[in-house]
Structure formats: C-alpha cells, structure tokens
Amino acid sequence: MGTVALAVTDGMLHFELSLAYEVFGAHPAGVAGPWYDLVVCGPGAVRAGRFRLEPDHGLDRLRCADTVIVPGWADVDVDPPAGLVDAVRAAHEAGARVASLCTGAFVLAAAGLLDGKCATTHWAHTEDLAARYPKVRVDPDVLYVDNGSVLTSAGKAAAMDLCLHLVRLDHGSSIANTVARRLVVPPHRDGGQAQFVTTPVPAPDNHPLAELFPWVIERLDLPLTVEDLARRARMSSRNLSRHFRSVTGTTPLQWLLTQRIRHAQELLETTDDSVDAIAAATGMGTATTLRRHFNRTVGVPPDTYRRTFRSSRALSATVDAPFCGPGDEHGSGVAQPGPRP
C-alpha cells in the first residue's frame, strides 16, 4: 500500500498527528501482508504543543509518497507556511493522494487542491475557510469528504474516521475493522454523518440502544423493520427514532441499511459467494435489491467492487515500491482510490 508521509510543521495539533501515526504506523496484529511505510516529513525540528519532534525527512520527500497526511495546526489566523503548501502541492502533482485532518484543510486550500471541490474542516473554522478560500465549497456538517485524490476531515474523532476510511479503501473493510477494534473506536461512520449531535453520545454500555446494536448485527439476514427494532428495544418507534438520532446521528432505517452494505462489502472481499447468496445473507432479499442499494451507496456495482479489491490484493502481493531516495524518480504503483463506502 506504499508510503504514507505525515507533513508536519510548527504548531501542529498533536492529537491528529498521533492518531494518524497510530493508524498507519503500527502493523495490525493478525493481519497478513504488507502494511504502510510511514515517514514523517518536515522543515526541521518542529514543535507540537509541548512536544519537540524530529522529522525523518525534509518536506521535499513528500513528492515520493503515495499518501500525504496533513494534520491541523492551532493558529489558523495566519497563512500556512509557504514551504509546506508548495511541498503538498508538488506531492499531489506527482501523483500522491492528499488528506487533511481538521484544520489541515487550510493547507490544501492554500495549495489550490480544493478549488471547485467540496471540503470540510472543524466546524468552528468552516466559516473562516469559506471566507478565505471562496473557490472551495465548504460543507460545515459532514465528518469527512472524499474527492478521490484529495480528502478532508473535520476535527478530532472525525480525523480518525477519515484515517480508517483510507485503510478501508486500501485494505478492505475487514482489516479496517480490525484496526478500529485495536484502537477501540467505531469501525465505520459515514463521511456524510453530522459533525456533532445535540446531546452527548453516551458510553457504549449505558445508552438505551447498547443491547440492540449487537442483536441487529447478528440478524442482518432477517427482514428487520423499524417496528422489530422498537419491539426489541422495548420502546415506541418514535422513541426509537429519537434515540437513534441522538446516538448515531441518523435514522434506524439508514443505520440498518449501512450495516447491511458493510456486511455485503466484507462478504464480497472475503468469500466467493454469489451476489444472490450475499443478498440473502445481508437481508436484501434479491440480487437486484442489493445491486440497487450497493451501487447507490458505494458508487459501483457489487461485481466491480469485488474485482477492484481482488485486483488490489494481487497488485500489493507483487509490487514492492520502496520509498525513493535522493535523485530517485517517484515510485511506480501509486495507490489508486478504491470505491467509496
């Protein structure tokens, strides 16, 4: 899956930097095959809060990466460093996939990578991003935006969502879920989910739907309805919808459909089951229904999704593109974005 380069600078937010390092820097236990080659690139020794960080390489090495991650930094009232902006732009021009976490979107915007595109950042800074870069279509509500080779996320937990989304594109949903379990975070939240809900999300073991979620996941092959879920949760359908909106940010039916699609993706990636069999196993009923919902949600038909992930597996098993050294050309086999979950 190639090289992931963290682009660092003075005043960056150490939380986003640390979570990216955790996701891409540690090979998950029990996962066979190659993992990412993680490097840290900066203009020299930099400071993140009270921490001092010595990058592995200079910013010029960003152009050799397959994926560049730009963490946010605290002082968004000033323009981002010109050297960082130029290096990120050059990396993208060389073929790198570029993703920003939180206020790192200001770097991508300054580099012109977001012109004419939809993007997001931490909700507290979306108005400022839109005012300073009017060519960017800023969405203040979503967790993250995937434009293929350019991706942006909101702050804090949403940065983790985007990192896991990248792992899912590169390695598939099963491995992304393994990484999420190791980090004890939700395995998947759609990028279009709201950045925040009106009430705090309760701890996993004490909210009203805590017992309902695993019960549903074990029964995705059944034609469950909102009434079935409400009956199991011992509440009215209206009360169920209110709790779902509070806990998940979406409706019971949309959440249920998302779980069915995620399960279908896992089966397409890990089994040779027919689309008809997967439709039955995910509660979609027929292959026609599965194809309709899958194509609308993921963006490609199930058969194409399966071929894409199997092709990428075969490619990763045969291609070893090392991080290029001084004077080397940009490594071949730049990771291409897969279908969007």
Side-chain angles (χ1 to χ4, degrees), residues 62-328:
L62 293 181
R63 68 178 180 83
C64 300
D66 298 295
T67 299
V68 172
I69 305 293
V70 184
W73 79 97
D75 192 3
V76 296
D77 292 330
V78 299
D79 291 334
L84 176 62
V85 171
D86 292 342
V88 169
R89 184 190 299 114
H92 186 259
E93 291 175 350
R97 176 177 62 182
V98 179
S100 66
L101 309 180
C102 195
T103 50
F106 283 79
V107 175
L108 274 59
L113 303 186
L114 301 180
D115 288 355
K117 295 183 174 66
C118 185
T120 194
T121 187
H122 191 288
W123 60 267
H125 302 288
T126 51
E127 290 186 2
D128 188 22
L129 181 64
R132 289 167 61 181
Y133 303 99
K135 293 182 180 179
V136 181
R137 302 197 309 271
V138 180
D139 189 335
D141 298 321
V142 298
L143 294 179
Y144 58 86
V145 177
D146 181 350
N147 289 299
S149 65
V150 179
L151 306 91
T152 56
S153 85
K156 307 304 178 186
M160 176 65 78
D161 292 313
L162 178 55
C163 289
L164 290 175
H165 174 66
L166 293 174
V167 173
R168 187 173 298 108
L169 292 176
D170 295 340
H171 292 275
S173 57
S174 179
I175 292 179
N177 290 346
T178 297
V179 175
R181 283 194 295 271
R182 177 176 67 84
L183 298 174
V184 198
V185 296
H188 180 255
R189 293 197 297 171
D190 286 319
Q193 186 171 319
Q195 286 197 27
F196 59 92
V197 292
T198 55
T199 57
V201 177
D205 59 350
N206 66 6
H207 63 77
L209 305 180
E211 295 182 2
L212 178 64
F213 288 160
W215 182 86
V216 173
I217 296 299
E218 293 174 1
R219 294 165 175 79
L220 290 176
D221 58 320
L222 301 178
L224 298 172
T225 64
V226 173
E227 289 72 23
D228 293 329
L229 272 59
R231 189 179 306 110
R232 177 68 185 184
R234 299 183 180 87
M235 60 180 68
S236 67
S237 297
R238 181 176 180 179
N239 202 25
L240 177 78
S241 296
R242 181 174 62 83
H243 283 297
F244 254 92
R245 180 66 67 179
S246 173
V247 173
T248 71
T250 189
T251 66
L253 280 180
Q254 185 57 51
W255 179 86
L256 181 58
L257 176 61
T258 298
Q259 308 317 307
R260 296 191 193 282
I261 296 296
R262 295 305 313 149
H263 188 36
Q265 287 178 296
E266 291 184 8
L267 293 176
L268 288 166
E269 295 168 21
T270 60
T271 75
D272 293 320
D273 293 349
S274 67
V275 175
D276 287 287
I278 293 175
T282 57
M284 293 289 191
T286 67
T288 300
T289 300
L290 172 59
R291 287 191 174 96
R292 182 174 70 252
H293 287 294
F294 196 95
N295 199 10
R296 185 178 62 193
T297 303
V298 181
V300 295
D303 295 323
T304 302
Y305 182 88
R306 171 175 272 166
R307 286 194 302 271
T308 299
F309 273 98
R310 293 197 172 179
S311 296
S312 65
R313 299 284 195 281
L315 181 63
S316 65
T318 57
V319 175
D320 182 15
F323 191 72
C324 58
D328 289 348

